[in-house]
Amino acid sequence: MADLYTVTDLSLSLADMTRKPLFGTAPRLEILKGLNFAIPKGEVIGIVGGSGSGKSTLGRALVRLLQPSGGRISFDGTDITHLSDADLRPLRRRFQMIFQDPMSSLNPRHRVGTIIAAPLHLHGFDGIPARINRALDHVGLPKTFATRYPHELSGGQRQRVGIARAIALEPDFILADEIVSGLDVSSQAQVLNLLEGLVRDLGLTLAFISHDLSVVRRLCARVMVLQQGRIVENRPTAELFAAPEADYTRTLLEAIPLPDPAQVWV
Ligand code: ADP
Ligand code: MG
């Protein structure tokens, strides 16, 4: 299988604003340190690690919301490491990000249909009403939801709208950053089932960031473990869970709560 992403020696540093002197520039903080990995087309990869390990920063680099300070990110054969905004524009449709808190990423003053339509307009799609209906259908929401406002929806429904907005663009890649963390267990299960189906039916490649290893175990074929901006393991899920190599991974695994018998995966 061809690789959708190839990441070589990726490093990324950010200005540490907490230590910025009154005059002069802030010191740089190295967040990602020499990452090497590939994401094959059609794969679901889990990115796990403790809080502050660099998961979100890596995610933002993959969809080029952040610019790497070193190394190279290649997306479907194109080096996107240092592409300008103008050169990124035609590619942006192809890698989408879904955020943890849909309430803050969905404009509260816009109806669901308008929210899904906005990026479609931006990327010059035609037949937008039909695309909105199809996207809602894909995420299991009735067409009538197009006229609702975000505050009229449940957390799980809002997360579905976020997913609908992303898949309406027919992307190749979706980065989901802690998207079920704020949901109750049954909504979590529904959103995960939905994602599983979409990956299968739409041929998506998915990177799923989570601190919850039980969720990752169920959804992801491969797991990458980050610790302090470095990859400590990157292996098929079953292998990693059966015999974690790094002490750090073992610590993460030990922190998984026992399965909740009330938790039903359908
Ligand atoms: P995770 O998603 O794994 O919790 P993040 O990628 O959000 O981790 O953060 C990794 C590290 O980068 C943390 O130490 C965090 O404090 C730091 N960091 C994140 N964003 C910024 C920023 N804008 N400026 C400076 N440091 C940041
Ligand atoms: Mg994060």
Side-chain angles (χ1 to χ4, degrees):
M1 200 161 27
D3 290 331
L4 185 62
Y5 272 102
T6 315
V7 174
T8 320
D9 268 336
L10 173 67
S11 62
L12 198 150
S13 55
L14 294 170
D16 183 359
M17 297 313 283
T18 62
R19 287 172 45 223
K20 185 192 177 308
L22 192 51
F23 302 102
T25 52
R28 306 290 292 180
L29 212 92
E30 245 201 319
I31 316 280
L32 302 177
K33 303 157 188 164
L35 272 51
N36 289 287
F37 63 95
I39 307 178
K41 282 184 184 167
E43 186 171 271
V44 179
I45 185 169
I47 302 175
V48 306
S51 171
S53 56
K55 304 183 295 296
S56 295
T57 305
L58 171 58
R60 286 168 182 278
L62 288 176
V63 298
R64 272 303 317 275
L65 293 177
L66 288 173
Q67 177 153 351
S69 19
R72 180 187 149 109
I73 300 177
S74 139
F75 174 80
D76 206 15
T78 304
D79 184 346
I80 62 166
T81 324
H82 302 294
L83 283 188
S84 67
D85 279 340
D87 290 334
L88 275 169
R89 200 164 299 137
L91 280 169
R92 286 219 181 272
R93 176 192 67 77
R94 300 182 58 196
F95 37 83
Q96 290 298 310
M97 181 159 177
I98 313 173
F99 300 91
Q100 169 169 9
D101 176 14
M103 208 46 190
S104 63
S105 65
L106 306 179
N107 188 329
R109 288 188 304 271
H110 286 170
R111 296 177 195 271
V112 164
T114 310
I115 289 170
I116 298 174
L120 288 170
H121 285 295
L122 195 72
H123 290 282
F125 278 88
D126 53 16
I128 290 179
R131 290 179 188 276
I132 295 171
N133 287 344
R134 201 157 358 123
L136 287 172
D137 193 47
H138 269 310
V139 299
L141 294 175
K143 282 202 273 291
T144 52
F145 269 56
T147 58
R148 299 212 185 168
Y149 288 95
H151 69 84
E152 299 176 295
L153 311 180
S154 71
Q157 289 168 340
R158 280 198 288 270
Q159 203 50 278
R160 282 166 195 264
V161 171
I163 296 170
R165 175 173 57 182
I167 61 165
L169 292 163
E170 300 177 7
D172 303 79
F173 175 76
I174 287 189
L175 182 103
D177 191 352
E178 302 276 6
I179 64 164
V180 297
S181 304
L183 302 178
D184 61 72
V185 167
S186 85
S187 309
Q188 278 195 359
Q190 288 175 12
V191 169
L192 292 173
N193 284 329
L194 171 66
L195 275 181
E196 229 169 29
L198 290 174
V199 166
R200 194 182 52 231
D201 299 343
L202 305 178
L204 289 167
T205 304
L206 176 70
F208 188 85
I209 296 178
S210 181
H211 65 277
D212 184 342
L213 276 116
S214 54
V215 165
V216 167
R217 181 178 201 168
R218 175 165 181 275
L219 190 69
C220 305
R222 168 174 288 276
V223 181
M224 179 194 308
V225 182
L226 283 186
Q227 181 188 23
Q228 292 180 5
R230 291 199 168 84
I231 298 174
V232 294
E233 290 201 58
N234 179 2
R235 289 197 295 147
T237 309
E239 242 178 59
L240 182 121
F241 275 80
E245 261 164 21
D247 288 343
Y248 179 71
T249 310
R250 274 194 288 277
T251 314
L252 286 179
L253 292 179
E254 280 158 16
I256 302 181
L258 289 170
D260 176 354
Q263 182 168 337
V264 186
W265 300 112
V266 272

